[in-house]
């Protein structure tokens, strides 16, 4: 059982509109301020989606490079870029995210119904993303939306080798309409299936919407780590809007301390994940 907790903040996402969620950080200045606030209350990783001047989702490479540089200058956080983008983004644009040279990037292990849309991740695309990351010294976080995607991850590692750094870390994304439910039972089933993955594999868990707290508590009890943020929920409690991403990170940190697994520092998170101390 791990003695500390890696906390990832996912502050923006690609789904919510700024007009509907005024507290959503969509400018670079808002993103950097959010990163600093969240690091101060326990986050060690920031999972980044970007918006353009109209607050619409974008994978513009110039903006991605600017965000990576700014977050490195102003925080100690591990910068993890989303390779998922929005569900409409083409594969070439999603692969080009790696040109921004983040510390980490997401790598989703299969196609999933995503509400009324389809989040497409072909096998060939998964392999290309995995191998490009290893070649460029970028650590993946393997995103798991359903139990069968753990089998896909094992197949990927068996056929194409371990990721850069040698450590396998995944994120269970739970309670997406179309994916696995955000329940303790589903999380336990995933943990049991992880026995077939390389020794030392670690996991975080993300509870979407009303799954936020059940998944958070189940992950802590199972020795897992946490992802929280306004990408995943915009309500703090029923009928109570989230005030800031730092509010969600602070709550996760408080639960981690209650579980006697206090938040991990960014330096300790780098050591766990096999990420070099600096890319500058």
């Amino acid at each position: 059982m791990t003695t500390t907790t890696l906390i990832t903040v996912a502050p923006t996402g690609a789904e919510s509109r700024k007009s509907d969620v005024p507290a959503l950080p969509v400018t670079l200045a808002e993103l950097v301020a959010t990163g600093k606030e969240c690091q101060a209350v326990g986050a060690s990783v920031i999972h980044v989606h970007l918006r353009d001047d109209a607050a619409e989702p974008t994978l513009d490479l110039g903006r991605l490079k600017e965000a990576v540089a700014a977050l490195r200058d102003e925080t100690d956080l591990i910068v993890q870029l989303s390779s998922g983008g929005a569900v409409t983004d083409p594969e070439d644009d999603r692969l080009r995210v790696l040109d921004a040279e983040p510390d980490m990037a997401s790598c989703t292990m299969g196609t999933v119904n995503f509400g009324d849309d389809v989040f497409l991740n072909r096998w060939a695309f998964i392999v290309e993303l995995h191998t490009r990351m290893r070649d460029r010294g970028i650590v993946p976080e393997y995103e798991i939306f359903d139990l069968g995607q753990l089998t896909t991850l094992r197949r990927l590692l068996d056929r194409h080798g371990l990721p850069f750094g040698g450590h396998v870390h995944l994120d269970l994304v739970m309670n997406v309409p179309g994916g696995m439910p955000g329940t303790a039972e589903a999380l336990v089933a995933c943990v049991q299936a992880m026995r077939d993955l390389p020794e030392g594999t670690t996991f975080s868990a993300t509870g979407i919407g009303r799954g936020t707290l059940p998944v958070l508590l189940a992950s802590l009890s199972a020795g897992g780590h946490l992802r929280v943020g306004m990408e995943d929920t915009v309500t703090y409690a029923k009928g109570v809007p989230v005030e800031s991403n730092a509010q969600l990170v602070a709550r996760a940190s408080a639960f981690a301390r209650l579980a006697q697994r206090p938040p991990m520092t960014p330096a300790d998170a780098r050591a766990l994940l096999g990420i070099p101390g600096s890319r500058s």
Side-chain angles (χ1 to χ4, degrees):
M1 178 75 73
T2 182
T3 58
T4 54
T5 304
L6 185 153
I7 298 178
T8 299
V9 61
T12 307
E15 285 74 46
S16 295
R17 291 189 172 275
K18 180 74 169 179
S19 57
D20 298 327
V21 188
L24 197 73
V26 296
T27 68
L28 181 58
E30 289 170 342
L31 180 67
V32 171
T34 294
K36 294 168 74 172
E37 293 167 1
C38 290
Q39 181 182 325
V41 292
S44 53
V45 180
I46 186 166
H47 175 79
V48 177
H49 288 257
L50 292 184
R51 302 295 179 96
D52 62 18
D53 291 339
E56 294 295 325
T58 180
L59 291 179
D60 178 80
L61 183 57
R63 287 178 182 267
L64 289 168
K65 288 182 175 180
E66 187 179 14
V68 170
L71 287 166
R72 287 201 179 118
D73 285 345
E74 298 291 335
T75 78
D76 297 322
L77 294 168
I78 295 167
V79 181
Q80 180 190 107
L81 294 183
S82 169
S83 71
V87 293
T88 54
D89 285 322
E91 290 179 351
D92 286 347
D93 289 353
R94 293 169 61 190
L95 289 168
R96 199 173 297 118
V97 164
L98 303 183
D99 293 344
E101 299 184 339
D103 303 302
M104 298 183 76
S106 59
C107 184
T108 301
M109 286 295 102
T111 297
V112 62
N113 288 327
F114 201 92
D116 295 333
D117 298 307
V118 176
F119 181 26
L120 181 64
N121 293 281
R122 300 181 305 115
W123 171 248
F125 174 74
I126 293 169
V127 171
E128 183 68 16
L129 191 56
H130 168 82
T131 53
R132 283 196 192 191
M133 276 196 255
R134 185 174 56 213
D135 292 345
R136 298 182 184 201
I138 297 169
V139 172
E141 179 180 78
Y142 300 105
E143 307 295 327
I144 306 296
F145 285 80
D146 221 336
L147 185 62
Q149 292 183 5
L150 288 166
T151 303
T152 301
L153 176 54
R154 180 182 177 184
R155 177 188 178 205
L156 178 71
L157 299 173
D158 286 348
R159 294 190 179 188
H160 299 281
L162 291 172
F164 174 76
H167 180 79
V168 177
H169 181 74
L170 57 92
D171 181 41
L172 303 174
V173 186
M174 309 181 74
N175 215 44
V176 168
M180 62 183 155
T183 62
E185 291 85 357
L187 187 139
V188 168
C190 289
V191 171
Q192 290 174 334
M194 286 179 215
R195 294 171 183 169
D196 292 332
L197 295 175
E199 185 176 355
T201 293
T202 55
F203 75 95
S204 295
T206 303
I208 305 299
R210 69 184 62 183
T212 297
L213 287 178
V215 168
L216 183 154
L217 294 168
S219 186
L220 284 173
S221 69
H225 303 280
L226 307 176
R227 185 181 108 169
V228 296
M230 295 179 72
E231 174 174 350
D232 306 318
T233 183
V234 294
T235 57
Y236 190 75
K238 187 175 181 180
V240 181
V242 171
E243 296 175 1
S244 69
N245 281 282
Q247 182 186 31
L248 296 171
V249 174
R251 180 171 65 179
S253 296
F255 276 118
R257 291 188 181 96
L258 282 172
Q260 299 186 42
R261 291 182 47 207
M264 194 176 289
T265 66
D268 287 343
R270 287 179 182 275
L272 171 71
L273 298 169
I275 297 172
S278 173
R279 297 181 68 91
S280 60

